[in-house]
Amino acid sequence: MSDQDKAPRPMKVLVTGGSGLVGRALQQVVGEEGGAKDAEWVFLSSKDADLMNPEETLSAFLEHEPTHVVHLAAMIGGLFHNMRHNLDFWRHNVIINDNVLQAAVKVGVVKVVSTLSTCIFPDKTTYPIDESMIHNGPPHETNFGYAYAKRMIDVQNRAYSQQFGGRFTAVIPTNVFGPHDNFNISRGHVLPGLVHKAYCAQKEGTPLVVWGSGRPRRQFIYSLDLARLILWVLTDYDEIDPIILSVGEEDEISIKEAAEAVVEAMDFKGGISFDTSKSDGQFMKTASNAKLRRYRPDVAFTPFKQAVKETCDWFAANYDSARK
Ligand code: NAP
Ligand code: GFB
């Protein structure tokens, strides 16, 4: 019996990187609010398969036979981790991405949603950045390894979709934060780093040290809001071209303002100091969410201070088990 005669397989979604910040948010949203109708969900961690290994990757895909994939798995980290490991960020992500997309084709996955980042856009650019600008020039020198690896997903998506006809697309989140983040101070991102540092400074009676000048600007999206949007992309977005998933330009804040939000959420009384010997990294990467709003005029985001408070409360309640 040909494939065409077979009834379409029931929807089964395989999530790579299911144990990370975004993966755990997706698990929560699917569990509490329902995922795609009647779909079965499988969330992988590296314990299930090392996606750097092509055999283990294919074996996981053959075991689960997904119809859809949300590809979150990656080597990721904050500015300072990227600055120290550009080659590792390039190699790990290029290998993981090729293994995952190749395995998806081999088991007949009909749609893959991969993840880029707003930090992969050209450093010298006009603002706000939009989806058309990904390949218009070199990325910032602090994270070029990660940036080029992620940009190749967009190239692969076009090639796979052209050659095999599947719908391989990608989302482009801005800086994400929330429960289950990587709170490691030297390898993690700014918000979890500030939460962890404020928690320790509170216990030690020392000031909160913010790295850099505090002047750079960022847009932050709460992991649960991002998870809801990824779910929408999985079920309702049919372009191969990627889509930025971010709060609006008007919600961009400075690192100093982000630190002040953490101080308020933790009721921290120890004062803030700035270690300007540390890099500021990219000053800004203001992204437009106009394309998202064209599709989803109703889109709403958790108020930033509420999201920071929920993240701080989660960290304090899960300090012993949190990644730090
Ligand atoms: P994360 O918290 O660091 O989680 C990474 C996930 O990838 C974990 O589940 C990890 O598994 C898995 N993984 C890493 N290496 C693996 C390997 N060799 N084999 C199998 N699994 C592996 O990352 P995240 O913040 O959730 O990011 C998810 C996606 O969003 C990434 O593609 C990232 O580039 C993108 N993104 C993130 C941000 C952000 O600010 N966080 C911003 C823009 C885009 P283990 O738990 O077993 O290690
Ligand atoms: O999240 P982050 O590390 O990465 O933020 P990027 C770096 C900015 O926050 C710099 C300041 O301006 C830092 O000086 N900062 C202040 C801190 N205190 C801290 C702290 O305790 N920890 C950290 N990490 N920063 C990343 C890319 O850029 O964006 C990655 O390098 C990734 O590839 C991520 O895509 C989303 O936002 O600068």
Side-chain angles (χ1 to χ4, degrees):
M1 182 167 34
S2 75
D3 276 358
Q4 282 65 35
D5 299 337
K6 287 178 192 162
R9 288 182 289 159
M11 187 171 181
K12 184 169 186 180
V13 187
L14 184 69
V15 180
T16 72
S19 50
L21 164 67
V22 181
R24 293 297 293 267
L26 192 55
Q27 279 197 60
Q28 181 176 331
V29 166
V30 167
E32 291 176 357
E33 303 169 17
K37 191 172 176 312
D38 302 330
E40 182 185 348
W41 289 75
V42 178
F43 293 85
L44 296 181
S45 79
S46 61
K47 295 177 189 61
D48 302 303
D50 177 0
L51 300 176
M52 289 279 286
N53 178 314
E55 289 76 26
E56 288 191 33
T57 307
L58 182 56
S59 167
F61 274 70
L62 290 170
E63 176 191 350
H64 296 293
E65 291 191 316
T67 58
H68 295 68
V69 173
V70 176
H71 174 35
L72 302 173
M75 177 180 179
I76 111 158
L79 164 67
F80 302 98
H81 195 33
N82 272 271
M83 288 168 72
R84 294 188 295 263
H85 296 280
N86 267 295
L87 175 65
D88 294 337
F89 275 91
W90 185 83
R91 280 198 75 244
H92 284 231
N93 289 309
V94 164
I95 292 169
I96 287 173
N97 297 335
D98 193 53
N99 287 341
V100 166
L101 296 181
Q102 193 61 8
V105 165
K106 286 190 177 163
V107 303
V109 168
V110 297
K111 183 169 182 179
V112 180
V113 179
S114 296
T115 22
L116 312 183
S117 168
T118 56
C119 74
I120 72 171
F121 283 91
D123 180 42
K124 303 281 183 289
T125 181
T126 54
Y127 297 100
I129 49 180
D130 67 40
E131 292 85 353
S132 67
M133 302 156 95
I134 294 180
H135 303 286
N136 290 359
H140 197 264
E141 86 265 354
T142 52
N143 73 330
F144 69 87
Y146 174 85
Y148 279 119
K150 285 291 187 176
R151 290 187 185 188
M152 286 305 105
I153 293 179
D154 181 43
V155 172
Q156 287 169 290
N157 285 348
R158 297 164 196 286
Y160 275 109
S161 299
Q162 184 187 76
Q163 194 162 321
F164 295 100
R167 275 173 295 140
F168 286 53
T169 190
V171 295
I172 312 179
T174 189
N175 290 52
V176 191
F177 72 99
H180 304 286
D181 204 340
N182 176 3
F183 291 86
N184 179 282
I185 289 169
S186 66
R187 293 194 298 275
H189 291 105
V190 56
L191 263 175
L194 292 173
V195 170
H196 189 175
K197 288 196 286 191
Y199 182 88
C200 295
Q202 201 155 37
K203 291 193 175 307
E204 294 152 12
T206 54
L208 168 62
V209 180
V210 179
W211 291 338
S213 68
R215 292 180 48 250
R217 304 186 63 75
R218 295 291 184 271
Q219 288 153 289
F220 293 100
I221 186 169
Y222 193 29
S223 58
L224 294 173
D225 294 338
L226 176 61
R228 293 183 188 102
L229 290 174
I230 288 174
L231 204 47
W232 166 76
V233 167
L234 180 69
T235 54
D236 296 290
Y237 177 75
D238 289 329
E239 292 186 39
I240 305 303
D241 288 341
I243 183 167
I244 288 171
L245 300 182
S246 173
V247 297
E249 301 150 61
E250 66 281 4
D251 293 320
E252 186 183 58
I253 60 173
S254 70
I255 297 298
K256 179 173 182 289
E257 289 168 309
E260 288 164 349
V262 170
V263 164
E264 183 181 333
M266 306 273 286
D267 192 25
F268 177 72
K269 305 291 188 200
I272 293 181
S273 71
F274 293 90
D275 177 356
T276 52
S277 72
K278 293 276 194 320
S279 169
D280 270 342
Q282 223 171 341
F283 181 72
M284 59 193 280
K285 42 185 172 176
T286 314
S288 163
N289 70 357
K291 181 173 180 180
L292 171 61
R293 289 198 181 281
R294 283 197 297 277
Y295 274 101
R296 291 285 308 274
D298 62 316
V299 70
F301 299 94
T302 305
F304 177 67
K305 287 190 173 181
Q306 176 190 331
V308 170
K309 176 69 175 148
E310 291 178 11
T311 303
C312 292
D313 291 349
W314 182 90
F315 182 72
N318 296 276
Y319 181 77
D320 292 339
S321 60
R323 282 187 290 170
K324 54 189 184 293

